[in-house]
Amino acid sequence: MRKAIYGFIYRRILGWKAVVTVPDYDKCVICAAPHTSNLDLFIGKLFYGTIGGKTSFMMKKEWFFFPLGLFF
């Protein structure tokens, strides 16, 4: 269900395609740098969720202020 929602947002609303040319590993670490905006986290989660991956993320402690701390 989550993959379908991510795919709908990624493909239909944003109009992007997910093209993957690397092997499918059980676990991996993806570093996204340099950050062009604060939306990189959400777009990355959408992309990886679209291709069926489970995502987690690390974030600086400065982002955990109210009300964002409740969300993260």
Side-chain angles (χ1 to χ4, degrees), residues 23-71:
D24 186 22
Y25 297 110
D26 292 334
K27 293 182 180 182
C28 66
V29 175
I30 299 172
C31 297
H35 300 288
T36 55
S37 72
N38 289 329
L39 295 176
D40 293 346
L41 167 70
F42 302 108
I43 292 173
K45 285 184 70 67
L46 277 175
F47 168 75
Y48 206 62
T50 298
I51 63 173
K54 180 179 177 276
T55 60
S56 299
F57 62 94
M58 293 189 317
M59 188 176 285
K60 291 172 55 173
K61 68 178 180 177
E62 286 80 13
W63 276 94
F64 291 94
F65 58 87
F66 184 81
L68 291 179
L70 298 172
F71 177 71

